[in-house]
Amino acid sequence: MSPSDYPQAGRPQPLVLGSLLGRTLAWAPTQEILYRNERRISYSTFGRRLEQLGAVLQGLGVKPGDRVGILDHDSHRYLECFFAVPMIGAVLHTVNVRLTAEQMLYTVNHAGDKTLLVHTDFLPWIESVAGRLTTVETVIVIEENAPAPAVLSLPIAGEYESLLAQVTTPFDFPDLDENSVATLFYTTGTTGNPKGVFFTHRQLVLHTLGAGLSLAAHSNPVSFRADDVYMPLTPMFHVHAWGVPYLATMFGIKQVYPGRYEPELLLRLIAEQGVTFTHGVPTILQMLLKHPYSSQVDLSRLQMVIGGAALPQGLAQQAADRGIRLVAGYGMSETCPIVAISHLKPGMPTDNPAARLDVLSRTGFPIALVRAGIVDADGKNLPPGPENVGELVLQCPWLTPGYYREPERSAELWRGGNLHTGDLAYRDADGYIRITDRLKDVIKIGGEWISSLELENVLSQHPSVQEVAVVGVPDSKWGEHPLASVVLRDGIAHPVSSKELTGYLRSVIDQGLVHQRALLTEFHIVTTIPRTSVGKIDKKRIRAERKSG
Ligand code: AMP
């Protein structure tokens, strides 16, 4: 074969975020993107605003590779940054605004953000860490309800809307290498400082195509299609709201951005804007169901991907009772995030509610382009079966190449050439991955390993239980025993006692649903369960609170 047999006359099209937009702007120029009930822009305006934002940032001296941080509520502006910042070759740092002030400071300094876009709600944070932001040179202020102060401890470049309005000429985004880094954000682990994960244009485009195709191709029990109305309920700072805003924009569908999460407003937006597709952690679903206004809203058209934590069957049942269609999705910050979805396979039951619930409670089936393995402590592949629990390891085109400026932690993440999730799992007979626990959350009772998730799942099905969190706590005899923090349902006639809950556990143990040693569970009836910055059960804090008495 000679090179002339296959002439390279065409220029390969790089997989860059801008390439998701061309069709959309032509297909749906009048379709709308809403911010709460307050503002609506058409896709053609959106396209124009991207150019304006690109021009503003370049005008401020933002160069390819520079990090640009954003601190905003979920908004059309945030979506604009999702595209325009990477499209000028800069890296969008989606700052987790629910971390502590010190952790936020750490992330912005570690990322080396030069420019920050900051909603006035977060300006007090800037003042609280004044003088300690070591890299930020300029702030673009986002004004919504309150005007920005005239003076800040950092130079203000201007107000977002006024800066955009000053750009009146077209702006051409530069050509980019598809392997240039587009986004960066931080994930908090059990120990040490937050870690920065990052993704390239190519990875984000492939994730959009991979996850989008999986969600669009299947309809059971949930699908995401061109006639859906989308609203995120995973914060945009957390793994790009699971990447779904990129999908929704590629589809050119109506999108609703809810701003700061206010439960009644979220429910109103679902009802008034006809939202049909969303996603979030179980806590958010819990909140939608429990809020007093909820009963006035018809949720029967809503589809929701639940991820970030296991979906307890009790909660899945409560959602099913309201007609919400749920599907479980699995992923993590390091995985962009979607790698598995619990769609039903052909032939699986759709009419038997219990069987359907069972499939949904599986963590998920790997989506296209994802290779998942379960390995033992020596890295050896384990065969399917619940007796073969090991660590879930992954390969796919959209996994973070490492942790930003952390070569050692990166090598640890990617040891042996696979991405190590830190999750314990097995593959079931149908090929679904079933997460049994996080490696660090599994409870070791006298040499037996008990899954905290499994215990949470069975306890969640007790009629008096609203929410439950299980952690392992030190035990002089057994090494560890489970501690279950239980929130009871509102309005139950007879609050259950620990003794009754133990009795309930005995009955599920008799049915073989959970390990015998679950009987050692100690119960605490509590009013709330501590949550992390992204709404997951904060097991680290429960353990720490227990330790400090
Ligand atoms: P994060 O990086 O904060 O998004 O957390 C990722 C972790 O959430 C994973 O490593 C899992 O432990 C957990 N997780 C995500 N999705 C699921 C799921 N569907 N079922 C159980 N655990 C999940």
Side-chain angles (χ1 to χ4, degrees):
M1 182 188 84
S2 89
S4 60
D5 288 346
Y6 297 97
Q8 303 294 306
R11 202 161 57 100
Q13 168 80 26
L15 298 178
V16 289
L17 285 173
S19 58
L20 297 178
L21 285 171
R23 176 182 184 276
T24 296
L25 299 181
W27 173 258
T30 57
Q31 182 59 277
E32 288 180 323
I33 300 171
L34 275 73
Y35 177 59
R36 306 189 135 196
N37 279 325
E38 293 163 21
R39 179 142 193 210
R40 38 182 81 217
I41 57 171
S42 67
Y43 272 82
S44 81
T45 304
F46 173 69
R48 174 73 196 125
R49 285 168 62 86
L50 295 186
E51 290 184 24
Q52 290 171 312
L53 179 55
V56 165
L57 293 170
Q58 269 198 357
L60 290 174
V62 176
K63 303 260 178 323
D66 284 355
R67 270 79 61 209
V68 174
I70 174 162
L71 294 83
D72 191 8
H73 305 294
D74 288 9
S75 64
H76 58 301
R77 303 169 297 254
Y78 217 124
L79 185 69
E80 286 155 9
C81 289
F82 266 25
F83 283 93
V85 173
M87 281 168 67
I88 59 163
V91 179
L92 178 68
H93 171 200
T94 56
V95 181
N96 180 341
V97 291
R98 296 201 201 139
L99 294 178
T100 63
E102 286 301 311
Q103 281 178 319
M104 281 168 70
L105 175 68
Y106 172 85
T107 62
V108 172
N109 282 342
H110 188 267
D113 295 337
K114 276 176 52 181
T115 309
L116 290 183
L117 293 103
V118 186
H119 188 286
T120 47
D121 284 356
F122 305 109
L123 289 177
W125 167 75
I126 293 210
E127 295 311 86
S128 76
V129 296
R132 294 199 290 146
L133 284 164
T134 52
T135 59
V136 180
E137 294 168 4
T138 327
V139 175
I140 294 176
V141 175
I142 297 167
E143 284 180 354
E144 197 179 340
N145 310 315
V151 194
L152 201 65
S153 57
L154 290 166
I156 299 181
E159 196 281 321
Y160 188 86
E161 290 299 331
S162 351
L163 287 172
L164 259 57
Q166 284 164 26
V167 180
T168 52
T169 49
F171 172 79
D172 284 330
F173 284 99
D175 289 337
L176 295 175
D177 181 335
E178 64 180 12
N179 291 311
S180 42
V181 175
T183 59
L184 166 72
F185 58 89
Y186 284 76
T187 168
T188 47
T190 34
T191 51
N193 284 319
K195 297 171 283 192
V197 295
F198 54 94
F199 300 95
T200 64
H201 280 260
R202 176 186 162 80
Q203 290 186 302
L204 289 167
V205 170
L206 289 173
H207 179 270
T208 306
L209 297 175
L213 192 64
S214 272
L215 284 165
H218 299 271
S219 55
N220 221 335
V222 155
S223 70
F224 190 31
R225 300 166 59 98
D227 49 4
D228 274 308
V229 176
Y230 167 64
M231 179 169 85
L233 286 174
T234 307
M236 295 176 88
F237 63 70
H238 185 56
V239 214
H240 337 102
W242 297 353
V244 186
Y246 285 123
L247 258 81
T249 307
M250 180 179 73
F251 289 170
I253 61 173
K254 177 172 166 185
Q255 306 187 50
V256 183
Y257 286 88
R260 186 212 311 261
Y261 290 4
E262 291 162 9
E264 183 168 333
L265 178 69
L266 298 178
L267 286 158
R268 278 187 192 283
L269 288 171
I270 291 170
E272 290 163 18
Q273 300 304 334
V275 174
T276 57
F277 189 90
T278 188
H279 48 80
V281 293
T283 316
I284 284 277
L285 172 62
Q286 181 90 254
M287 182 268 285
L288 290 181
L289 294 171
K290 242 184 97 178
H291 190 273
Y293 187 67
S294 179
S295 57
Q296 295 178 49
V297 176
D298 174 11
L299 295 174
S300 67
R301 289 182 59 215
L302 191 65
Q303 308 178 81
M304 186 164 186
V305 180
I306 295 285
L311 168 63
Q313 283 205 14
L315 181 60
Q317 184 59 58
Q318 288 173 43
D321 294 344
R322 296 289 304 278
I324 304 177
R325 281 192 286 152
L326 293 184
V327 72
Y330 169 82
M332 56 196 302
S333 300
E334 287 81 347
T335 65
C336 202
I338 302 176
V339 288
I341 303 177
S342 66
H343 280 122
L344 270 61
K345 282 174 124 178
M348 279 187 158
T350 52
D351 46 356
N352 172 342
R356 196 181 159 104
L357 219 56
D358 171 65
V359 183
L360 288 187
S361 67
R362 305 181 193 202
T363 314
F365 201 95
I367 64 172
L369 305 186
V370 175
R371 275 199 297 146
I374 312 283
V375 297
D376 66 12
D378 302 322
K380 206 167 80 351
N381 273 307
L382 293 170
E387 66 285 8
N388 292 313
V389 170
E391 188 182 8
L392 173 66
V393 295
L394 297 169
Q395 290 281 356
C396 101
W398 49 80
L399 308 178
T400 189
Y403 294 119
Y404 185 59
R405 290 181 168 157
E406 301 251 26
E408 280 166 22
R409 288 167 116 182
S410 304
E412 169 70 11
L413 177 72
W414 276 101
R415 62 193 183 278
N418 286 318
L419 184 139
H420 285 253
T421 61
D423 284 319
L424 290 172
Y426 68 91
R427 206 185 266 279
D428 70 17
D430 296 312
Y432 290 78
I433 296 165
R434 299 209 185 206
I435 301 289
T436 57
D437 219 338
R438 300 211 75 164
L439 254 170
K440 54 183 188 292
D441 288 338
V442 73
I443 306 166
K444 291 137 201 143
I445 312 178
E448 301 284 342
W449 285 25
I450 304 231
S451 155
S452 64
L453 295 184
E454 205 172 277
L455 250 176
E456 283 167 8
N457 198 30
V458 294
L459 288 169
S460 77
Q461 291 169 66
H462 187 283
S464 301
V465 172
Q466 179 67 44
E467 281 181 82
V468 53
V470 175
V471 298
V473 291
D475 180 299
S476 54
K477 179 170 173 199
W478 296 98
E480 277 188 327
H481 70 251
L483 168 73
S485 309
V486 176
V487 178
L488 297 177
R489 282 200 194 211
D490 294 337
I492 45 166
H494 306 289
V496 283
S497 62
S498 299
K499 209 167 143 206
E500 282 172 70
L501 287 169
T502 306
Y504 170 73
L505 270 185
R506 189 167 291 117
S507 69
V508 292
I509 287 169
D510 290 346
Q511 295 167 47
L513 293 179
V514 72
H515 195 285
Q516 177 79 21
R517 293 212 174 135
L519 272 186
L520 294 167
T521 303
E522 171 190 346
F523 290 98
H524 275 190
I525 308 295
V526 295
T527 48
T528 52
I529 289 177
R531 302 279 170 193
T532 68
S533 64
V534 292
K536 302 191 199 184
I537 295 173
D538 192 345
K539 298 200 173 180
K540 190 162 69 166
R541 210 164 106 204
I542 298 178
R543 285 192 205 97
E545 281 172 4
R546 165 62 172 235
K547 207 168 160 196
S548 65

